[in-house]
Amino acid sequence: MDRTLVRLALRSKVPARGLAVKGWVRTRRDLKGVTFLELNDGSCLGNLQVLVEHGSGPASALGDAGTGAAVSVFGDLVDSPGKGQKWELRARDLEVLGPADQGSYPLQKKRHSDEFLRGIAHLRPRTNKYGALLRIRSELSLLIHDFFRERGFFYVHTPIITGSDCEGAGELFRVTSLDLAGPILDHEADFFGRPAYLTVSGQLEAELLAMSLGRVYTFGPTFRAENSNTPRHAAEFWMVEPEMAFADLEEDIDLAEELVKALAVGVMDRCPEDLELFARFVEPGLMARLEAVAGEPFARLPYAEAVLVLERSGAEFEYPVGFGLDLQTEHERYLCETVFKRPLAVFDYPKEIKPFYMRLNSDQRTVAAMDVLVPGVGELIGGSQREERLEVLESRFADQGLDAGRYWWYLDTRRFGSAPHAGFGLGFERLLMLVTGISNIRDVIAFPRTPRNLEF
Ligand code: 4AD
Ligand code: MG
């Protein structure tokens, strides 16, 4: 007999005989003559109430199974006389698939701290909050594919193992098949015959593909060994990276704004119940924030002006502000939360603080870079128009002390049929922080990778 999802049972318009439901017991209440189980199968936030009559076959099968146990119930969906739910399932047959010891099952309480739940990442998806988060994560992934597909972008897969550092920031994890117990690392003897790393970004390869297919995007895991133990950095995170041939910086910002808006609208449309949970328990202003992200045009401001706004604000910051210094999260959040009160695209950053591939502006001091900053998070997106002029690109390599020869294939796209092009990277976990109001990146991915954290 096919199992009926709790989501569908709860939505039923009519009573139904003979449903099979399987899930995990969230709570058990023993009353006079009956036991009520709240059953959750992960298909939605809601639980299905199961009624087990004492003295019946299902009651003896249930025994003392309680919170955390996996059970299979066959029964009839009937109007629930009790308050709080429309339907309940009257058990006719019941099987305990997997009991859970009540003394040691860690999810007995109604609410647990985020910290505690991080320590049991293998079980926390069974809580309301993480179940909701993971369903939203899934819907947002699919919305991203819908968005690009509707606009003629091709979904491409860029390599995870790479020989180059796209961001030039030296935050690479090494990949090797050598026995590391030996005294020296002999690259020649290693698997690829040269140093290999986990990619920090699929951009360089996405550029090659955009210069063939026109409009492409990647959506995959990226890795950074930056040892920054912040609530916004993970060592492994997912990035969405569109790349467009024949596009400039303005079109790049337009696409970024359109994407973020479409995702805000889409998630409100597809996940109202799960979002409501975050609005109630995590971030009271969540729905207003999402409405604002979806509805109001993003502010747009050159970096030089952003610096002036910060300098004149009179606000006290931990990190210094000044032309040539990178904006820190506190500055980014101040700009979009206090000054503009909405998402903000900052563009034209000083060339010294940005990677080699960004297009040099005619002022020779700034590059056609853009960051999208959002409330509660700070930087959500980083992108740029790419340097398509061969000589300028070569001199940028030299400026940054990079060996252009190793990027000969990248330079080839500037030798043969070069054209203006632009793209960006959106940090998927940061998007989830924006959408749920969760303030720590460790709580928006099932099994976070951060410094000294690799248990699950
Ligand atoms: O600004 P970033 O470093 O840009 C790039 O990697 C470009 N190659 C992207 C491109 O143009 N195709 O990273 C892009 C975004 C950031 O804005 C941020 O949201 C996220 O990736 N990000 C991180 N998210 C979580 N943990 C980290 N350690 C992150 N580093 C960057
Ligand atoms: Mg960035």
Side-chain angles (χ1 to χ4, degrees):
M1 163 116 221
D2 278 348
R3 130 175 122 96
T4 299
L5 295 180
V6 165
R7 174 163 48 90
L8 298 182
L10 290 177
R11 274 200 214 146
S12 180
K13 295 264 186 286
V14 290
R17 287 183 60 77
L19 292 191
V21 174
K22 298 181 187 193
W24 293 270
V25 176
R26 281 292 177 81
T27 59
R28 168 182 179 147
R29 277 183 302 141
D30 292 297
L31 305 180
K32 206 167 151 235
V34 288
T35 291
F36 288 110
L37 304 177
E38 291 290 326
L39 204 66
N40 188 285
D41 68 355
S43 62
C44 66
L45 189 61
N47 303 322
L48 180 63
Q49 174 162 296
V50 174
L51 180 143
V52 181
E53 273 177 44
H54 291 174
S56 65
S60 60
L62 181 63
D64 61 358
T67 304
V71 299
S72 165
V73 188
F74 178 78
D76 302 324
L77 192 70
V78 299
D79 274 318
S80 171
K83 275 203 187 125
Q85 65 281 320
K86 178 164 167 47
W87 299 114
E88 65 190 23
L89 189 71
R90 284 176 185 259
R92 280 201 264 152
D93 198 5
L94 187 148
E95 187 187 348
V96 175
L97 302 171
D101 176 59
Q102 296 305 285
S104 53
Y105 183 61
L107 292 174
Q108 291 284 356
K109 281 199 303 182
K110 263 238 171 307
R111 291 190 78 173
H112 300 271
S113 73
D114 293 338
E115 196 101 48
F116 171 79
L117 291 170
R118 269 172 228 150
I120 50 165
H122 57 308
L123 293 173
R124 71 177 180 173
R126 293 196 199 171
T127 63
N128 282 342
K129 184 168 160 184
Y130 292 90
L133 182 267
L134 291 168
R135 283 186 296 273
I136 289 175
R137 203 177 152 107
S138 169
E139 280 306 324
L140 274 174
S141 306
L142 299 173
L143 283 163
I144 284 165
H145 290 299
D146 291 348
F147 175 90
F148 286 114
R149 191 161 195 231
E150 282 161 15
R151 286 162 183 77
F153 283 73
F154 295 106
Y155 174 35
V156 296
H157 302 110
T158 50
I160 305 256
I161 300 178
T162 175
S164 50
D165 180 1
C166 169
E167 293 304 295
E171 294 164 339
L172 298 153
F173 282 104
R174 283 290 294 274
V175 175
T176 178
S177 60
L178 289 177
D179 177 3
L180 295 179
I184 41 161
L185 260 185
D186 178 4
H187 299 310
E188 278 297 320
D190 204 347
F191 191 91
F192 297 102
R194 52 181 292 175
Y197 312 94
L198 293 177
T199 190
V200 296
S201 160
Q203 178 196 323
L204 299 187
E205 293 88 355
E207 279 189 55
L208 311 179
L209 297 167
M211 295 304 282
S212 329
L213 296 170
R215 293 180 141 203
V216 302
Y217 71 104
T218 71
F219 182 13
T222 49
F223 309 86
R224 295 193 187 181
E226 51 193 333
N227 204 3
S228 45
N229 227 328
T230 82
R232 274 164 212 84
H233 291 89
E236 176 177 300
F237 62 98
W238 286 66
M239 217 201 298
V240 182
E241 296 184 89
E243 194 67 37
M244 302 179 280
F246 316 115
D248 62 13
L249 185 68
E250 196 179 339
E251 292 168 86
D252 203 35
I253 301 176
D254 290 344
L255 182 76
E257 177 167 350
E258 226 184 302
L259 172 64
V260 175
K261 285 190 148 65
L263 296 176
V265 170
V267 78
M268 287 190 282
D269 181 44
R270 289 202 202 168
C271 308
E273 192 190 35
D274 287 326
L275 277 182
E276 165 76 19
L277 175 105
F278 292 100
R280 275 182 65 194
F281 297 111
V282 176
E283 163 75 63
L286 187 66
M287 298 317 290
R289 182 207 270 183
L290 286 178
E291 295 284 357
V293 168
E296 290 174 35
F298 291 7
R300 299 187 185 199
L301 186 75
Y303 163 91
E305 282 179 34
V307 168
L308 283 181
V309 170
L310 290 168
E311 282 175 338
R312 290 175 185 162
S313 70
E316 295 238 346
F317 297 112
E318 190 184 336
Y319 292 91
V321 176
F323 191 96
L325 300 175
D326 216 350
L327 298 181
Q328 303 293 326
T329 303
E330 56 172 346
H331 309 134
E332 297 172 340
R333 290 187 57 177
Y334 183 83
L335 285 171
C336 55
E337 288 167 26
T338 308
V339 181
F340 291 94
K341 299 189 166 59
R342 56 193 162 126
L344 170 74
V346 177
F347 56 91
D348 291 349
Y349 284 73
K351 63 178 180 183
E352 290 79 13
I353 57 171
K354 290 293 182 188
F356 64 85
Y357 54 71
M358 296 188 175
R359 192 177 196 277
L360 189 64
N361 287 325
S362 52
D363 63 11
Q364 306 293 318
R365 302 207 296 159
T366 61
V367 286
M370 65 93 165
D371 277 4
V372 174
L373 318 178
V374 296
V377 177
E379 180 187 339
L380 170 69
I381 290 176
S384 68
Q385 184 171 340
R386 318 308 189 187
E387 183 54 76
E388 86 284 13
R389 298 160 297 184
L390 181 64
E391 317 75 59
V392 184
L393 185 57
E394 281 173 333
S395 73
R396 292 274 288 147
F397 272 111
D399 285 351
Q400 303 211 351
L402 294 165
D403 175 9
R406 294 196 31 213
Y407 293 82
W408 61 272
W409 41 273
Y410 187 72
L411 293 166
D412 257 7
T413 52
R414 277 66 175 171
R415 284 191 188 98
F416 310 120
S418 190
H421 60 291
F424 61 79
L426 173 148
F428 189 53
E429 282 70 27
R430 297 208 183 159
L431 174 73
L432 278 154
M433 292 169 73
L434 172 72
V435 162
T436 60
I438 289 177
S439 58
N440 196 315
I441 198 164
R442 292 164 181 79
D443 301 329
V444 293
I445 183 165
F447 306 108
R449 267 80 183 98
T450 50
R452 313 206 66 77
N453 178 15
L454 191 67
E455 185 68 21
F456 305 95

